[in-house]
Amino acid sequence: MAKTTFLNNHSDLIFGYEVDTTVASAEAILTPGDPEADPPVPPEQIGTKVYPASIGTIAFSMLLEIGGVGQVVVTDVDSDGGGDFFTYSELAIPGTGASIRTPWNPSGTLLFTRENNSVSLTYFIPVEHDLFFRTQKTNDSGSIQVKLDGMSIGSFDLNNPASVLTSVVLQEDVASGIHTVEVTADISPPDVFVYFDGFAMLEHNVATGGEFLYRGPQGEMDDSSNNFTGQWTNGPDFASTTDTTASVFFYPQLDTDGKVRFRTQKTADSGIIALYVNGQFKQNIDLYADPAVTPFEITLLDNEAPANDPTGLYEIELRHTGSKNAASAGFFFYFRSAVVVFSRTDTQALQLAADYLKQVAAIRGDGAILDARDSDIVNFDANALYACMGLLAAYQSLSIQAYLDAVKNFLNWFVGQQVSDPGNSFNDGAWNIGYQVNLSPPPTYIPALGPFAQQGISEIKWVDAVQCLPAFVLWWYWSLSGDTATKDALLPKFRKAVDGFIANNHDPQTGFYFSSWQNKTSPTIFLYHDAIRRYNSGGTLLEQHNDSQEGFFTYVGSWSSYAPQGAVNNDEHFTLVSQDTVEFSLALNSGDAVRWVTQTAWDVGIADILVSTDGSNFSPAGTVDGYTTTLLLQQEFLIYTAPSTATYWFRIRHSGTINEAGNIAPGWQRLASRFTAGQTDVALGLTGLWLLTRSVKYAHLAARIIRRFPEKFWSPTEGRWSISLDGPAPGTANNFWYPLNHGYTAFGQKQSRLFQPASRLSEGLQALEPFQDSEGGFQPPGYIEAEHIFSAFYALGENQLATKTNQAAFDLAKEHIKAGQYLLDMGGVQAGGVVFSKRFQFLYTNISGFACMALAGTTNPFTEQLRFSVPRVAKPAA
């Protein structure tokens, strides 16, 4: 159901406690004893008295968790000369300063509270969505009070006669963007508990253009852009149901002259469905046909006559009516896809994308260009700089002054973020990898880390694209605008940025540049999960379960998926968070061996293996050390041999530790990777700086990159560009598929006659073509779906060639870019940013930036070849 889930052990959750205080002092409660008895009876401890820093709502019979003591039940609350106190029957006496809290306790995979505790989450979803609270309703469950972005959205009763795991709708149609949801338990007698399983967001993914299948990129209906309710079957070509309560929802945008259709099959046993548009019944549709017709396409919306449906965003529901044609033998409803037909010229699409960038650039009002319309991050890994390149390309084509103004304003803002630390060559002139709007200014912006925050990294600077592209963008802006005042004002700072990058990142042995510097505060410790294999005692493989089988595996914690080429089915899950687990069960015969398939590398930690025979009580069964000096896929480890025939439950847990060889000393580390795209960023910056200053040093350095690049970064065995050269010189090629290199290399280096052989540029683009689908998207190995920016990379590269490598593929790639345009009214301006993919609809500005360059037919703006001497002026005759 296109659902994003945050389970109850997700690292971003913040748990609150009705009581959250500390121990001011504590003492034993003693009997008086009898010193006169024979023999004397000494005092005996019968409980503990605690004076808390704040008594708050501590009450009789309340369950508390006290640091160093554990959980206790309050037996009395009172006050005396020492202040307010409470007592409990346990004899352990806590130390001063020990924490006192009303606990969240585990119950299987659930958490529960007996008091009015809270849980909150700040999250980002790029589209409208419905927000759910996942819980267990019981006959002794209380209620919850819910706030969204600080505003109450109501009370929800969780009491139910029978225990049931369910998702409670907290709010429908929540807008895209960053939100904070806070749920507070509201428990009054006779109710006892509130259970918490997680938060879930049902996304209203916009069907922007093209076909949106019933299955998502993981092959599951729940991962589809369409939202299914009721009981459905995931068939080989269609989703199908006979559930008379079933529906499918999707959210298409209808553009001028556009149409919205759905694909089904009509059969002799199909029923009748109803079409609802924006919640209103429109018509019934009879799906009976004999003989069957498959596939069959039905138009639901049409902007053209005679329907004349208005343009805009729609909610479409196709609902089973529970009825059928009298001649039909059944009630089947088959659904294959939603289809959005659009008509848009390159120029129209270009302006829509550029207007998206222009309007995002206006959001902050100070020149900063956010990384998306609903983001609080600026220029992470050069996002805004690529957006500026798109705006300049659009200006060249459309001559709209506002595009130039947005670039100028960003460059002026960006120079203000640069570090000024004269005399410190490691700081002076640096920028961070990105910036974030500070919720508690000053300052207005603070350094951002994004996903690197989980990797034991506190800061990243001297990043290739971030340091070098400003010089290129400034030169391009100046060459179009003639704005010498801005050029002269910014050039010294941008030159300092490049000079500092050269000093800190240049690899003199190769002539290339290392990517960045990272301040490590603790080791980066990954754990990868690829598959589980079961063998019999004779070594025969009996079954294999790939990591994508989320019905077989339960991922507990902050796991992510990615698609490394060479893994089982070219996909894996990974986590960076200590104590995260992947869990599963197997019915084993005596002697069966369970083997874990994983990825090992220099930054992979130690996994704990835990086994249970009842699914509740787990015992350690060993560890797996994932450290190796090189990255190795499909490494298989024996984790258990069954002593007897039974069902066994397994947990593979991130231990939070790593082999001693993987422990990197804290401090600043230079990332030992020379990225392919990064070399092009640097070459563009150096060439732009040469044209701005005429200093031949920059021409020499740019030429050194371009001359050596074709030989060093081309993989002859793969017939394509590598993603990077890693490690000590000359560097080991990393041949992971990275489409950016195949178009961006052509854009950045084709203009130089030093790039030889020039045929490598067309060969790189041709390497992408076998992975183009019927809609123009590219999905090379290692990616779960076609990303719209991949089509922009390809088209941008093709723009550089006098003759296209494949005209049909080029035209189709541009259509795929347009198909990803999400049409928005932004401040009264019709805009059309390009989404990340059909399933993941992030409107990052770099995507629209590359889309603008692709759609505008942009070629590299340099018209002058690199020269390595300063022209001499003839001396006048004496």
Side-chain angles (χ1 to χ4, degrees):
M1 301 189 328
K3 183 175 288 187
T4 297
T5 302
F6 297 85
L7 292 176
N8 57 31
N9 63 350
H10 196 279
S11 59
D12 290 340
L13 293 170
I14 297 175
F15 290 92
Y17 307 91
E18 180 182 345
V19 173
D20 191 359
T21 186
T22 58
V23 174
S25 63
E27 60 189 46
I29 301 174
L30 303 173
T31 62
D34 187 353
E36 304 299 326
D38 186 18
V41 178
E44 179 183 358
Q45 184 178 357
I46 57 173
T48 303
K49 177 194 262 187
V50 176
Y51 294 91
S54 172
I55 196 70
T57 60
I58 297 175
F60 172 73
S61 81
M62 179 177 276
L63 180 69
L64 296 176
E65 186 163 45
I66 302 177
V69 173
Q71 295 189 3
V72 300
V73 175
V74 176
T75 54
D76 189 26
V77 177
D78 208 338
S79 62
D80 58 18
D84 296 325
F85 68 84
F86 67 89
T87 64
Y88 54 84
S89 59
E90 284 78 3
L91 307 184
I93 300 175
T96 300
S99 64
I100 305 171
R101 284 178 169 176
T102 43
W104 283 96
N105 281 321
S107 175
T109 59
L110 301 171
L111 294 178
F112 71 87
T113 179
R114 288 174 41 172
E115 310 302 336
N116 295 332
N117 286 349
S118 65
V119 59
S120 62
L121 172 71
T122 297
Y123 66 93
F124 172 74
I125 296 290
V127 292
E128 182 182 84
H129 56 282
D130 303 329
L131 175 62
F132 294 82
F133 180 72
R134 289 167 50 131
T135 185
Q136 177 175 254
K137 289 186 174 183
T138 66
N139 61 7
D140 53 5
S141 289
S143 299
I144 54 173
Q145 302 289 334
V146 183
K147 291 181 179 179
L148 184 62
D149 300 327
M151 302 294 293
S152 174
I153 57 174
S155 176
F156 300 81
D157 187 357
L158 305 182
N159 195 275
N160 197 67
S163 296
V164 58
L165 287 169
T166 188
S167 293
V168 176
V169 180
L170 302 180
Q171 183 82 26
E172 294 182 335
D173 303 332
V174 180
S176 66
I178 301 170
H179 296 283
T180 298
V181 56
E182 180 181 7
V183 171
T184 303
D186 186 2
I187 303 171
S188 301
D191 297 328
V192 180
F193 302 109
V194 163
Y195 292 89
F196 173 54
D197 185 35
F199 290 105
M201 296 80 186
L202 182 62
E203 299 157 43
H204 299 182
N205 276 17
V206 177
T208 52
E211 183 178 21
F212 292 77
L213 290 167
Y214 66 103
R215 290 194 290 210
Q218 300 285 359
E220 303 294 330
M221 291 173 62
D222 274 357
D223 195 37
S224 167
S225 294
N226 308 293
N227 293 332
F228 297 88
T229 64
Q231 300 299 312
W232 289 80
T233 298
N234 184 352
D237 298 303
F238 296 87
S240 64
T241 185
T242 56
D243 180 355
T244 57
T245 68
S247 288
V248 58
F249 292 82
F250 52 94
Y251 309 89
Q253 62 182 20
L254 184 65
D255 197 9
T256 303
D257 299 331
K259 295 174 174 56
V260 175
R261 299 166 174 155
F262 94 98
R263 288 179 181 160
T264 182
Q265 65 176 350
K266 288 190 167 188
T267 67
D269 55 0
S270 288
I272 296 172
I273 62 171
L275 167 63
Y276 287 78
V277 178
N278 296 335
Q280 301 296 313
F281 172 79
K282 188 169 184 180
Q283 68 180 86
N284 283 328
I285 302 172
D286 189 349
L287 299 180
Y288 167 79
D290 190 10
V293 183
T294 183
F296 189 81
E297 196 167 82
I298 298 173
T299 298
L300 306 177
L301 298 171
D302 192 340
N303 180 246
E304 297 184 302
N308 294 318
D309 293 311
T311 60
L313 184 63
Y314 286 83
E315 177 189 88
I316 298 293
E317 179 189 4
L318 299 176
R319 182 190 302 178
H320 203 306
T321 64
S323 60
K324 66 181 182 69
N325 187 300
S328 178
F331 291 88
F332 275 96
F333 170 18
Y334 295 93
F335 179 87
R336 177 169 175 80
S337 60
V339 179
V340 175
V341 179
F342 64 93
S343 176
R344 205 171 298 145
T345 67
D346 289 357
T347 300
Q348 290 171 329
L350 170 62
Q351 183 164 354
L352 286 168
D355 281 348
Y356 172 73
L357 296 175
K358 173 176 68 73
Q359 294 306 107
V360 171
I363 291 173
R364 292 291 300 165
D366 57 5
I369 300 179
L370 296 170
D371 282 2
R373 66 182 177 122
D374 40 17
S375 173
D376 62 353
I377 305 295
V378 184
N379 199 47
F380 195 86
D381 212 6
N383 242 10
L385 289 163
Y386 294 124
C388 287
M389 290 161 64
L391 285 165
L392 294 171
Y395 174 79
Q396 277 189 307
S397 179
L398 302 174
S399 299
I400 295 176
Q401 180 65 33
Y403 300 161
L404 273 185
D405 294 341
V407 174
K408 174 183 176 179
N409 292 338
F410 172 75
L411 293 177
N412 279 301
W413 174 87
F414 194 50
V415 79
Q417 308 306 311
Q418 188 180 50
V419 174
S420 178
D421 189 6
N424 186 338
S425 62
F426 189 64
N427 280 335
D428 194 36
W431 281 294
N432 285 93
I433 191 173
Y435 297 88
Q436 185 170 8
V437 177
N438 187 2
L439 298 179
S440 302
T444 306
Y445 298 93
I446 55 178
L449 278 172
F452 298 102
Q454 290 186 329
Q455 298 183 25
I457 296 171
S458 64
E459 188 178 358
I460 302 175
K461 63 183 181 182
W462 297 117
V463 178
D464 42 25
V466 175
Q467 293 294 136
C468 297
L469 282 180
F472 168 63
V473 172
L474 177 62
W475 171 83
W476 196 0
Y477 165 78
W478 173 59
S479 70
L480 294 175
S481 67
D483 182 357
T484 301
T486 295
K487 185 259 291 184
D488 290 346
L490 300 183
L491 179 56
K493 296 292 186 69
F494 289 1
R495 184 173 188 172
K496 182 167 63 172
V498 174
D499 288 342
F501 178 79
I502 295 168
N504 287 291
N505 293 49
H506 184 231
D507 176 13
Q509 296 183 67
T510 64
F512 300 124
Y513 293 81
F514 292 107
S515 161
S516 60
W517 285 80
Q518 304 175 345
N519 191 14
K520 300 280 289 184
T521 56
S522 61
T524 299
I525 305 177
F526 282 90
L527 191 69
Y528 294 90
H529 173 58
D530 194 358
I532 287 293
R533 292 172 179 154
R534 172 189 164 217
Y535 298 85
N536 67 15
S537 57
T540 301
L541 179 63
L542 301 177
E543 55 184 304
Q544 174 176 290
H545 298 278
N546 186 45
D547 68 289
S548 61
Q549 293 177 241
E550 297 196 6
F552 180 81
F553 295 108
T554 298
Y555 292 94
V556 180
S558 303
W559 290 83
S560 300
S561 60
Y562 88 122
Q565 186 179 8
V568 176
N569 288 0
N570 292 327
D571 57 21
E572 289 183 342
H573 275 69
F574 71 90
T575 182
L576 287 149
V577 180
S578 176
Q579 307 306 303
D580 280 3
T581 61
V582 55
E583 305 179 2
F584 60 95
S585 63
L586 284 169
L588 303 178
N589 296 319
S590 178
D592 282 359
V594 180
R595 292 182 175 270
W596 178 38
V597 184
T598 185
Q599 172 181 315
T600 63
W602 55 90
D603 54 3
V604 176
I606 296 170
D608 295 326
I609 310 300
L610 300 100
V611 181
S612 170
T613 55
D614 61 9
S616 297
N617 300 297
F618 285 80
S619 300
T623 60
V624 172
D625 187 345
Y627 173 83
T628 50
T629 56
T630 57
L631 188 153
L632 301 172
L633 295 166
Q634 289 204 47
Q635 299 302 291
E636 189 178 89
F637 295 90
L638 175 66
I639 61 172
Y640 195 69
T641 301
S644 59
T645 299
T647 296
Y648 296 85
W649 286 261
F650 295 86
R651 285 179 179 167
I652 300 173
R653 183 174 66 193
H654 190 308
S655 70
T657 61
I658 193 169
N659 185 298
E660 186 59 34
N663 275 307
I664 299 174
W668 283 99
Q669 312 284 336
R670 188 166 65 182
L671 185 62
S673 292
R674 309 159 193 82
F675 284 108
T676 307
Q679 308 313 306
T680 298
D681 292 322
V682 177
L684 286 169
L686 289 169
T687 305
L689 198 52
W690 169 65
L691 291 169
L692 288 165
T693 65
R694 293 299 172 172
S695 171
V696 295
K697 174 180 78 169
Y698 302 119
H700 276 292
L701 291 170
R704 194 177 187 205
I705 293 173
I706 297 169
R707 279 196 182 107
R708 298 181 177 203
F709 186 96
E711 176 189 356
K712 301 301 183 182
F713 284 92
W714 183 261
S715 171
T717 56
E718 303 289 340
R720 54 182 170 83
W721 298 113
S722 302
I723 187 174
S724 61
L725 295 176
D726 300 333
T732 301
N734 179 341
N735 289 327
F736 182 80
W737 246 110
Y738 196 49
L740 169 61
N741 303 326
H742 296 71
Y744 195 46
T745 298
F747 169 75
Q749 302 189 49
K750 165 70 167 60
Q751 51 78 34
S752 175
R753 61 176 175 239
L754 301 175
F755 188 98
Q756 296 296 330
S759 59
R760 285 283 183 260
L761 300 172
S762 57
E763 290 167 6
L765 292 162
Q766 287 169 325
L768 263 175
E769 290 168 1
F771 306 106
Q772 189 178 41
D773 62 30
S774 61
E775 292 186 329
F778 293 89
Q779 188 183 349
Y783 297 89
I784 62 173
E785 64 175 330
E787 299 173 18
H788 291 289
I789 199 171
F790 294 171
S791 296
F793 296 153
Y794 175 81
L796 176 62
E798 290 286 334
N799 287 345
Q800 314 310 309
L801 306 181
T803 302
K804 303 292 183 282
T805 62
N806 184 324
Q807 185 68 47
F810 173 68
D811 294 339
L812 202 57
K814 290 195 292 182
E815 289 305 302
H816 189 249
I817 297 169
K818 300 174 197 175
Q821 290 194 284
Y822 185 169
L823 304 179
L824 299 160
D825 183 318
M826 299 181 67
V829 174
Q830 176 74 76
V834 180
V835 298
F836 181 81
S837 67
K838 288 181 177 179
R839 172 62 183 87
F840 301 102
Q841 300 196 318
F842 302 102
L843 279 166
Y844 297 133
T845 48
N846 66 326
I847 304 174
S848 291
F850 277 102
C852 285
M853 289 191 284
L855 293 168
T858 302
T859 57
N860 185 297
F862 297 142
T863 58
E864 187 176 344
Q865 291 293 315
L866 292 167
R867 288 186 283 116
F868 311 119
S869 61
V870 179
R872 294 183 179 181
V873 178
K875 293 178 66 174

